[in-house]
PDB file of all heavy atoms in Angstrom:
ATOM      1  N   ALA A  15     -52.176 -68.434-171.915  1.00 98.00           N
ATOM      2  CA  ALA A  15     -52.517 -67.011-172.094  1.00 98.00           C
ATOM      3  C   ALA A  15     -53.272 -66.423-170.879  1.00 98.00           C
ATOM      4  O   ALA A  15     -52.953 -65.325-170.347  1.00 98.00           O
ATOM      5  CB  ALA A  15     -53.325 -66.774-173.347  1.00 98.00           C
ATOM      6  N   MET A  16     -54.160 -67.232-170.321  1.00 97.00           N
ATOM      7  CA  MET A  16     -54.867 -66.732-169.121  1.00 97.00           C
ATOM      8  C   MET A  16     -54.021 -66.600-167.883  1.00 97.00           C
ATOM      9  O   MET A  16     -54.089 -65.626-167.150  1.00 97.00           O
ATOM     10  CB  MET A  16     -56.102 -67.697-168.805  1.00 97.00           C
ATOM     11  CG  MET A  16     -57.177 -67.565-169.781  1.00 97.00           C
ATOM     12  SD  MET A  16     -58.687 -68.516-169.380  1.00 97.00           S
ATOM     13  CE  MET A  16     -58.179 -69.918-168.482  1.00 97.00           C
ATOM     14  N   ILE A  17     -53.104 -67.634-167.761  1.00 98.00           N
ATOM     15  CA  ILE A  17     -52.197 -67.512-166.624  1.00 98.00           C
ATOM     16  C   ILE A  17     -51.222 -66.331-166.783  1.00 98.00           C
ATOM     17  O   ILE A  17     -50.952 -65.607-165.797  1.00 98.00           O
ATOM     18  CB  ILE A  17     -51.403 -68.837-166.519  1.00 98.00           C
ATOM     19  CG1 ILE A  17     -52.334 -70.001-166.154  1.00 98.00           C
ATOM     20  CG2 ILE A  17     -50.331 -68.699-165.387  1.00 98.00           C
ATOM     21  CD1 ILE A  17     -51.735 -71.458-166.276  1.00 98.00           C
ATOM     22  N   GLU A  18     -50.670 -66.105-167.985  1.00 97.00           N
ATOM     23  CA  GLU A  18     -49.807 -64.945-168.204  1.00 97.00           C
ATOM     24  C   GLU A  18     -50.474 -63.643-167.945  1.00 97.00           C
ATOM     25  O   GLU A  18     -49.937 -62.735-167.346  1.00 97.00           O
ATOM     26  CB  GLU A  18     -49.272 -65.023-169.618  1.00 97.00           C
ATOM     27  CG  GLU A  18     -48.239 -66.075-169.806  1.00 97.00           C
ATOM     28  CD  GLU A  18     -47.801 -66.252-171.258  1.00 97.00           C
ATOM     29  OE1 GLU A  18     -48.527 -65.771-172.144  1.00 97.00           O
ATOM     30  OE2 GLU A  18     -46.652 -66.766-171.510  1.00 97.00           O
ATOM     31  N   SER A  19     -51.778 -63.569-168.343  1.00 97.00           N
ATOM     32  CA  SER A  19     -52.553 -62.382-168.058  1.00 97.00           C
ATOM     33  C   SER A  19     -52.717 -62.115-166.501  1.00 97.00           C
ATOM     34  O   SER A  19     -52.588 -61.023-166.003  1.00 97.00           O
ATOM     35  CB  SER A  19     -53.885 -62.440-168.726  1.00 97.00           C
ATOM     36  OG  SER A  19     -54.662 -61.385-168.416  1.00 97.00           O
ATOM     37  N   ALA A  20     -53.090 -63.181-165.846  1.00 96.00           N
ATOM     38  CA  ALA A  20     -53.264 -63.081-164.343  1.00 96.00           C
ATOM     39  C   ALA A  20     -51.915 -62.731-163.695  1.00 96.00           C
ATOM     40  O   ALA A  20     -51.928 -62.019-162.701  1.00 96.00           O
ATOM     41  CB  ALA A  20     -53.845 -64.448-163.820  1.00 96.00           C
ATOM     42  N   LEU A  21     -50.836 -63.332-164.218  1.00 95.00           N
ATOM     43  CA  LEU A  21     -49.590 -63.082-163.661  1.00 95.00           C
ATOM     44  C   LEU A  21     -49.163 -61.579-163.862  1.00 95.00           C
ATOM     45  O   LEU A  21     -48.679 -60.914-162.943  1.00 95.00           O
ATOM     46  CB  LEU A  21     -48.497 -63.951-164.242  1.00 95.00           C
ATOM     47  CG  LEU A  21     -47.122 -63.884-163.793  1.00 95.00           C
ATOM     48  CD1 LEU A  21     -47.060 -64.177-162.233  1.00 95.00           C
ATOM     49  CD2 LEU A  21     -46.186 -64.878-164.436  1.00 95.00           C
ATOM     50  N   GLU A  22     -49.418 -61.068-165.019  1.00 94.00           N
ATOM     51  CA  GLU A  22     -49.123 -59.706-165.324  1.00 94.00           C
ATOM     52  C   GLU A  22     -49.916 -58.785-164.440  1.00 94.00           C
ATOM     53  O   GLU A  22     -49.461 -57.737-163.876  1.00 94.00           O
ATOM     54  CB  GLU A  22     -49.397 -59.404-166.791  1.00 94.00           C
ATOM     55  CG  GLU A  22     -49.108 -57.969-167.237  1.00 94.00           C
ATOM     56  CD  GLU A  22     -47.601 -57.636-167.160  1.00 94.00           C
ATOM     57  OE1 GLU A  22     -46.781 -58.645-167.321  1.00 94.00           O
ATOM     58  OE2 GLU A  22     -47.215 -56.484-166.978  1.00 94.00           O
ATOM     59  N   THR A  23     -51.234 -59.127-164.219  1.00 93.00           N
ATOM     60  CA  THR A  23     -52.124 -58.325-163.350  1.00 93.00           C
ATOM     61  C   THR A  23     -51.571 -58.309-161.950  1.00 93.00           C
ATOM     62  O   THR A  23     -51.538 -57.275-161.234  1.00 93.00           O
ATOM     63  CB  THR A  23     -53.560 -58.846-163.367  1.00 93.00           C
ATOM     64  OG1 THR A  23     -54.030 -58.745-164.747  1.00 93.00           O
ATOM     65  CG2 THR A  23     -54.519 -58.108-162.467  1.00 93.00           C
ATOM     66  N   ALA A  24     -51.170 -59.499-161.401  1.00 91.00           N
ATOM     67  CA  ALA A  24     -50.641 -59.521-160.073  1.00 91.00           C
ATOM     68  C   ALA A  24     -49.328 -58.754-159.912  1.00 91.00           C
ATOM     69  O   ALA A  24     -49.164 -58.106-158.986  1.00 91.00           O
ATOM     70  CB  ALA A  24     -50.379 -61.039-159.706  1.00 91.00           C
ATOM     71  N   ARG A  25     -48.509 -58.790-160.935  1.00 90.00           N
ATOM     72  CA  ARG A  25     -47.269 -58.084-160.887  1.00 90.00           C
ATOM     73  C   ARG A  25     -47.547 -56.532-160.871  1.00 90.00           C
ATOM     74  O   ARG A  25     -46.895 -55.730-160.181  1.00 90.00           O
ATOM     75  CB  ARG A  25     -46.377 -58.385-162.091  1.00 90.00           C
ATOM     76  CG  ARG A  25     -45.638 -59.750-161.895  1.00 90.00           C
ATOM     77  CD  ARG A  25     -44.761 -60.043-163.019  1.00 90.00           C
ATOM     78  NE  ARG A  25     -44.016 -61.305-162.794  1.00 90.00           N
ATOM     79  CZ  ARG A  25     -43.727 -62.206-163.717  1.00 90.00           C
ATOM     80  NH1 ARG A  25     -44.045 -61.957-164.999  1.00 90.00           N
ATOM     81  NH2 ARG A  25     -43.096 -63.246-163.453  1.00 90.00           N
TER      82      ARG A  25
END
Side-chain angles (χ1 to χ4, degrees):
M16 287 188 330
I17 295 168
E18 286 174 339
S19 175
L21 184 57
E22 184 67 26
T23 300
R25 284 183 178 143

